[in-house]
């Protein structure tokens, strides 16, 4: 049965399997091995040299596949967690609260990325105006002036997203509704009555909030269990933490976000374990793209965005130096670049709205899963507590 098809409440499945687990140790170990292999295989399929890879690396279509992989991993993880393992014993009693805290931090990043996609959609509309204007023949001064105005605004929007999020223009909002209110005083705080289910109230974050620092906080202390602790349910809990960190790091690297500057160009993941092989390969490839694409003031590594910036800068230089009727060779080259920009805009217009909706789905899935895990943790603690009788 596919991981998304299991039915009944998460807590109910844990209670049922807790009564069965004594006779299913070997099956549980096999399930854990399958989970780790699936993690590796799914991320390996995203590598640009993978036989199953049919989308340009870090393109909008590729990012959508990345989020599909995350949703599949999350569903399988919950299925593994529901197999009745005791989550109150070390090291799970430490690893699970860390995972919950990373999930909470990832909600801010989801919101920041959704906002960044709004910026990209605005930039795409400006680029479309420029592409359409420079495709006109004969090319007049009026066409070039219109294109130059749109290109200046396009490059300013992308630069402003990197440097000063609050000054990118009227399409931006000065206040944002960010993720969920903090629970208690630390990552392992218990829920108050009713707080673990439903949608907690949003909280505001000032303009000094940093996506790079948020990812850094999520990746801190991402240490794999060792020795006797490197078996059983502790492993998938740690694996899921690594998956959350990797996916959020990749989204921030690819898409304009508030304060991307300072984002680490790599993640420290164990190379020697099976589950990490796909992700470590992707970290290396993203690092290579970083060296090739990223520059001071760059808005992100997304393939279409990189091309849009590059072509936009070239066309802006053409428009700035244009004098009617213009050199025929330069006008024709600008026409070819305008056609390329138009094609990039079409791909972005087709892909950005579904990508944005998918991130919203990830956001709400994280909320539900975190609530389920908190409820299961509270339930397990009550079951394990010694009776007062």
């Amino acid at each position: 049965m596919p991981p998304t098809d299991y039915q009944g409440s998460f807590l109910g499945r844990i209670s049922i399997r807790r009564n069965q687990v004594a006779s299913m140790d070997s099956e549980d170990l096999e399930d854990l091995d399958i989970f780790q292999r699936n993690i590796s295989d799914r991320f390996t399929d995203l590598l640009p040299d993978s036989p199953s890879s049919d989308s340009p690396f870090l393109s909008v279509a590729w990012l959508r596949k990345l989020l599909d992989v995350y949703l599949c991993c999350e569903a399988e993880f919950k299925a593994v967690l529901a197999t009745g393992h005791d989550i109150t014993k070390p090291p799970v009693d430490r690893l699970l609260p860390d995972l919950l805290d990373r999930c909470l931090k990832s909600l801010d990043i989801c919101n920041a990325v959704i906002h960044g996609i709004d910026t990209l959609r605005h930039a795409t509309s400006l680029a479309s105006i420029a592409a359409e204007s420079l495709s006109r023949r004969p090319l007049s001064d009026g066409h070039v002036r219109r294109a130059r105005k749109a290109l200046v605004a396009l490059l300013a929007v992308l630069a402003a997203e990197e440097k000063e999020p609050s000054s990118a223009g009227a399409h931006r909002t000065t206040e944002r509704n960010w993720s969920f209110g903090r629970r208690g005083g630390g990552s392992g705080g218990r829920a108050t009555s009713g707080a673990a289910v439903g949608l907690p109230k949003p909280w505001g974050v000032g303009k000094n909030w940093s996506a790079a620092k948020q990812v850094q906080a999520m990746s801190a202390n991402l240490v794999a269990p060792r020795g006797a602790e490197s078996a059983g349910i502790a492993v998938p809990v740690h694996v899921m933490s690594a998956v959350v960190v990797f996916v959020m790091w990749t989204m921030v690297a690819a898409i304009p976000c508030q304060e991307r500057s300072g984002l680490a160009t790599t993640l420290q993941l164990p190379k020697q374990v099976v589950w990490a092989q796909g992700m470590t390969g992707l970290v290396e490839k993203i690092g290579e793209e970083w060296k090739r694409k990223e520059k001071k003031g760059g808005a992100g590594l997304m393939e279409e965005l990189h091309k849009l910036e590059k072509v936009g800068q070239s066309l802006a230089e053409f428009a700035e130096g244009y004098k009617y009727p213009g050199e025929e060779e330069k006008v024709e080259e600008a026409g070819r670049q305008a056609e390329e920009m138009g094609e990039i805009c079409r791909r972005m217009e087709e892909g950005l709205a579904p990508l944005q909706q998918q991130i919203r789905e990830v956001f709400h899935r994280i909320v539900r899963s975190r609530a389920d895990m908190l409820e299961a943790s509270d339930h397990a603690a009550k079951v394990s507590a010694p009776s007062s009788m």
Side-chain angles (χ1 to χ4, degrees):
M1 182 169 58
T4 54
D5 289 345
Y6 48 78
Q7 299 178 359
S9 72
F10 184 66
L11 187 59
R13 293 195 303 277
I14 287 181
S15 298
I16 292 171
R17 289 288 285 117
R18 190 177 293 277
N19 295 329
Q20 301 171 345
V21 72
S23 61
M24 299 181 68
D25 289 343
S26 61
E27 183 178 336
D28 289 340
L29 292 174
E30 183 179 355
D31 288 344
L32 296 180
D33 288 340
I34 292 173
F35 172 74
Q36 294 179 67
R37 287 198 300 270
N38 286 346
I39 293 289
S40 178
D41 291 345
R42 287 196 173 101
F43 284 104
T44 298
D45 287 343
L46 292 174
L47 286 166
D49 53 0
S50 169
S52 60
S53 178
D54 57 359
S55 301
F57 190 50
L58 290 174
S59 65
V60 175
W62 186 91
L63 291 169
R64 292 193 63 196
K65 290 182 178 180
L66 173 69
L67 296 180
D68 282 337
V69 165
Y70 172 80
L71 292 171
C72 289
C73 293
E74 187 273 343
E76 280 198 28
F77 170 70
K78 285 184 68 178
V80 169
L81 200 64
T83 55
H85 298 275
D86 191 344
I87 58 177
T88 64
K89 295 181 179 180
V92 184
D93 61 340
R94 170 181 56 82
L95 294 174
L96 189 60
D98 286 346
L99 172 59
L100 294 172
D101 186 58
R102 289 184 175 103
C103 288
L104 186 62
K105 288 181 170 65
S106 69
L107 298 179
D108 280 343
I109 293 177
C110 286
N111 273 336
V113 171
I114 287 171
H115 178 81
I117 293 176
D118 279 336
T119 298
L120 289 183
R121 295 174 73 178
H122 178 68
T124 300
S125 67
L126 293 170
S128 295
I129 293 171
E132 189 272 336
S133 298
L134 293 176
S135 297
R136 296 292 185 91
R137 292 296 179 272
L139 188 64
S140 69
D141 276 333
H143 297 145
V144 176
R145 283 196 300 271
R146 186 167 183 259
R148 182 169 60 240
K149 183 177 180 181
L151 289 166
V152 168
L154 165 67
L155 298 175
V157 163
L158 296 179
E161 184 67 18
E162 175 69 14
K163 295 176 181 177
E164 180 52 55
S166 63
S167 63
H171 71 287
R172 307 291 301 279
T173 54
T174 56
E175 296 295 333
R176 302 176 185 175
N177 285 330
W178 292 80
S179 72
F180 290 39
R182 299 300 193 230
R183 302 264 325 275
S187 61
R190 297 291 180 192
T192 56
S193 177
V197 293
L199 300 181
K201 294 180 180 180
W203 60 290
V205 174
K207 66 179 182 179
N208 292 327
W209 182 88
S210 165
K213 291 180 180 178
Q214 192 82 331
V215 173
Q216 181 181 10
M218 290 177 65
S219 60
N221 300 318
L222 188 62
V223 181
R226 297 178 180 178
E229 295 182 343
S230 59
I233 194 64
V235 174
V237 173
H238 171 71
V239 171
M240 198 62 211
S241 269
V243 168
V244 171
V245 172
F246 170 76
V247 171
M248 296 302 153
W249 172 76
T250 303
M251 298 301 289
V252 172
I255 297 173
C257 285
Q258 180 171 320
E259 290 297 326
R260 285 177 65 257
S261 58
L263 182 67
T265 59
T266 187
L267 286 178
Q268 297 301 319
L269 297 173
K271 296 182 179 181
Q272 69 277 13
V273 294
V274 172
W275 63 263
Q277 291 175 1
M279 274 188 281
T280 53
L282 288 170
V283 168
E284 291 175 1
K285 292 296 183 181
I286 292 171
E288 292 172 6
E289 289 296 301
W290 212 303
K291 293 177 182 178
R292 184 174 73 88
K293 292 179 179 178
E294 189 73 3
K295 61 187 182 301
K296 185 176 182 181
L301 299 179
M302 181 188 289
E303 179 69 8
E304 291 87 353
L305 174 58
H306 175 67
K307 291 181 178 179
L308 196 67
E309 286 184 288
K310 184 177 180 181
V311 176
Q313 289 170 351
S314 178
L315 288 175
E317 291 173 3
F318 164 79
E320 186 64 30
Y322 178 82
K323 292 183 180 179
Y324 184 82
E327 297 179 25
E328 182 177 353
E329 184 178 341
K330 290 184 178 180
V331 170
E332 291 304 314
E333 175 60 25
R336 286 191 290 270
Q337 290 183 335
E339 184 178 351
E340 180 184 358
M341 176 175 277
E343 178 58 31
I344 296 168
C345 290
R346 282 189 287 273
R347 296 211 310 265
M348 294 180 76
E349 287 168 355
E350 291 173 359
L352 286 177
L355 176 62
Q356 196 172 48
Q357 183 58 39
Q358 202 170 8
I359 295 171
R360 290 191 176 99
E361 181 183 353
V362 168
F363 180 98
H364 290 294
R365 179 76 71 85
I366 291 172
V367 171
R368 291 193 298 270
S369 296
R370 188 173 182 274
D372 285 342
M373 286 187 284
L374 280 166
E375 188 176 6
S377 181
D378 287 341
H379 177 74
K382 292 176 182 178
V383 171
S384 303
S387 174
S388 59
M389 296 296 292

